[in-house]
Amino acid sequence: MGLTIVKMTANVVLDAWIASFRTLRNCPRIFIPFIITAFFEFIALLLIYYSPRQPLVVFLGPPITRFWGGKYLHYPFNFVLMPKLLFYSQTLISIFVGSLMTAVAVYLIWQSISLNNRQRILPAIKKTLPRYLGVIVAIFINLILIWLYFKFENKFENKLLVKLFAENPTKKILFIGVQGWRQIGFYFGILVTIIIDTLFVYVIPIIIIERRSVFMAIIRSITFAIRNFTVSFFIVAIPILFYLPIIILKGKMSILMDKFIPEVTLYILTCGILLTMLINCWITALSVHVFITRRKVSEVK
Amino acid sequence: MKIIFVIILVLGILTGCSDDQYSAEKMLYYAAKASKKIYMSADAAAPFEYRAAVSAYERIVERFTNTAFEKTAQFKIGELYLLKKEYDTARRELGKLISRYPDDRDVIVKTKFAIAKTYEIEGRWDQALKEFEKIEQNYTDSIQAIQIPIYIAQYYQKQEEMKKAALAYQQAIEKYENIARDNQDTPKAYLANDLIAACLINQQRWEETVVQLKKIIESYPKIAGVLRSAAVLEQIYIQKLKQPQAVLDFYEKFISEHKDEDYELSKILRKRIEKIKEVTKT
């Protein structure tokens, strides 16, 4: 019985992958919204990279000095701050640009699959613009939940680890030392992020396709994802796993900067932007396919 | 695509070709990286590594004339030749700073001090001593000049010429006492008193050292460096004189005498009292 469910889930996921690749191949303009988001992120990265130099230092120097210190306007310390600044920029871009672009992509994919209708970008933007505010709120809530988890997890982990290991930092608990438990916490954090994203992965498709309000869409997405949890989890988790090397490299940035050149930070972050573009495109295509297919199945039932 | 190209081109033109501070910092970083192995082990470095490091600094000197980066780079070139044991070349390279910046007292004193040290490292102590004495006479207000008396005493101590060392320390202490007296309540007086303490520590004259350190703490409670004096006082009382109660008494007296003044030092000393009591109990 269990094996049958696993096989069925694998088939559904595989079908969704094949269908989404076919859709992307047949309608490559679906990439354009994600290219636009990546473009904004790349511009943000360039501005951050050039922030210690004239003329940008005149505008960007004071806030950087105020919040992080003047040290980060000098080579090579500017590369140490770069990932953090890009993260903040990407968060803002994700909320105000990425949300709309994802909605446009959902619309294009939906039109392509359901109505065999290949829309152009500008008409698609006009169609999705009325839903812009709802989509922003959806992305914002998704990000807030992840942020709240990490805020709580950080405090809890630090207090627990101090309590268990303060007297003897070399002690082991269940054969694992303090660094081992931090690693486990790190990977658990990734798992929780994937689960939250899984529950929210259908929100934008529901807002665009079923034209529901944002809060109804969130509730429907969560219930839909729970009902189709394994499929939903894998269509989010597998693409995100491709980003894991970037996460690991970001964690070792200072070692890499010292071993090679400080500019390695810039190259890793650029690769991260390109990979994020592809992963978001892939997850969006998969989620629309699964939603349309499984929605029909439950309607028939 | 065109927009991306234009943006990158504009940013590149505005920033990439400029001889700005960032470019200089970048070149200094790579020059320091090129010379890292030489500083770690000068004898193990190959000639091509020396050439590469010197060239890296020479490029900075050529491109950033009349800047602090040029001065730093020229200094490093002198240091590299010193490490390579090419003493005359080291002095010639350092001398370029004096000819290029004849009106910059800071640069001249630092360079002359470095040149004196090249004689010392070369084994020509008499010549080095002459240079040090010239600095003391001609640049009395500089930090380097103030440190020369103890530097000379430490040299004799390292060479195990104990009579000369004792005499040099005595002369150093007298000079510093004069400086402290003539510049009361100034940072210069603090430095002079600190150097007196250093002279006494080097000679292991512990009783006199603790008296001097207490004087520094009482006279300059607001200066950041006084925390170091307190740490040294603790170490000497606990480890050398085996009198931990004496340092506790001094701290408690200081705190009660200054309870109306909101000194950061008082807060730190309160924590130190608890720590010392804990340690001495165990």
Side-chain angles (χ1 to χ4, degrees), chain B residues 92-282:
Chain B
R92 194 175 59 242
E93 290 296 332
L94 288 167
K96 286 179 184 175
L97 279 165
I98 296 175
S99 51
R100 267 185 230 145
Y101 299 97
D103 299 323
D104 191 332
R105 259 180 88 91
D106 251 351
V107 166
I108 291 176
V109 171
K110 276 186 190 148
T111 308
K112 287 189 179 219
F113 192 90
I115 289 173
K117 281 185 79 169
T118 64
Y119 285 118
E120 178 196 337
I121 293 168
E122 197 181 353
R124 293 166 62 183
W125 175 249
D126 293 338
Q127 188 61 37
L129 192 58
K130 279 188 196 153
E131 298 295 327
F132 284 130
E133 283 166 355
K134 277 188 208 167
I135 296 169
E136 243 196 299
Q137 280 162 17
N138 300 330
Y139 304 96
T140 34
D141 283 342
S142 65
I143 300 273
Q144 288 80 2
I146 293 173
Q147 289 175 336
I148 281 169
I150 189 171
Y151 187 86
I152 292 170
Q154 283 169 332
Y155 171 82
Y156 287 129
Q157 195 170 20
K158 255 189 289 180
Q159 302 299 315
E160 293 180 2
E161 296 181 52
M162 301 321 282
K163 280 191 182 156
K164 281 187 180 175
L167 180 62
Y169 275 122
Q170 191 51 44
Q171 287 170 342
I173 289 172
E174 281 166 15
K175 282 183 186 170
Y176 294 138
E177 280 171 350
N178 289 339
I179 293 171
R181 192 178 43 244
D182 296 341
N183 298 276
Q184 279 189 36
D185 298 325
T186 65
K188 202 169 173 183
Y190 166 76
L191 180 59
N193 276 303
D194 199 48
L195 289 168
I196 292 171
C199 290
L200 294 168
I201 289 168
N202 288 351
Q203 294 175 89
Q204 300 185 22
R205 288 157 64 178
W206 306 124
E207 297 286 355
E208 290 163 89
T209 309
V210 297
V211 169
Q212 179 64 18
L213 288 170
K214 283 183 197 174
K215 181 181 157 190
I216 292 171
I217 294 167
E218 279 162 348
S219 309
Y220 307 97
K222 287 186 184 175
I223 293 185
V226 89
L227 288 172
R228 188 175 41 87
S229 304
V232 173
L233 179 74
E234 266 177 50
Q235 253 188 330
I236 294 172
Y237 261 129
I238 293 171
Q239 289 173 16
K240 301 292 179 193
L241 298 174
K242 312 283 184 208
Q243 298 171 20
Q245 191 56 45
V247 73
L248 290 172
D249 291 340
F250 172 69
Y251 282 170
E252 276 158 5
K253 183 169 169 258
F254 179 90
I255 292 165
S256 69
E257 279 173 1
H258 297 97
K259 61 174 180 267
D260 294 332
E261 286 138 300
D262 190 23
Y263 289 143
E264 192 59 34
L265 180 61
S266 299
K267 293 175 194 165
I268 294 169
L269 292 185
R270 273 191 203 98
K271 288 184 189 162
R272 290 305 306 156
I273 289 170
E274 295 309 317
K275 192 78 187 173
I276 294 167
K277 281 180 179 170
E278 236 180 79
V279 166
T280 46
K281 260 189 208 154
T282 54

Side-chain angles (χ1 to χ4, degrees), chain A residues 50 53 74-75 78 260, chain B residues 15 21-23 25 30 33:
Chain A
Y50 285 112
R53 312 185 70 171
H74 298 274
Y75 189 97
N78 56 314
F260 302 106
Chain B
T15 60
Q21 179 176 311
Y22 184 83
S23 307
E25 286 167 358
Y30 282 105
K33 211 168 173 183

Side-chain angles (χ1 to χ4, degrees), chain B residues 51-81:
Chain B
R51 268 197 306 276
V54 168
S55 302
Y57 284 116
E58 279 171 349
R59 280 195 290 276
I60 298 170
V61 168
E62 277 168 32
R63 198 165 147 187
F64 298 97
T65 32
N66 291 325
T67 65
F69 300 104
E70 186 215 348
K71 293 170 194 171
T72 305
Q74 189 61 55
F75 216 88
K76 288 286 182 190
I77 292 170
E79 271 184 8
L80 285 167
Y81 279 116

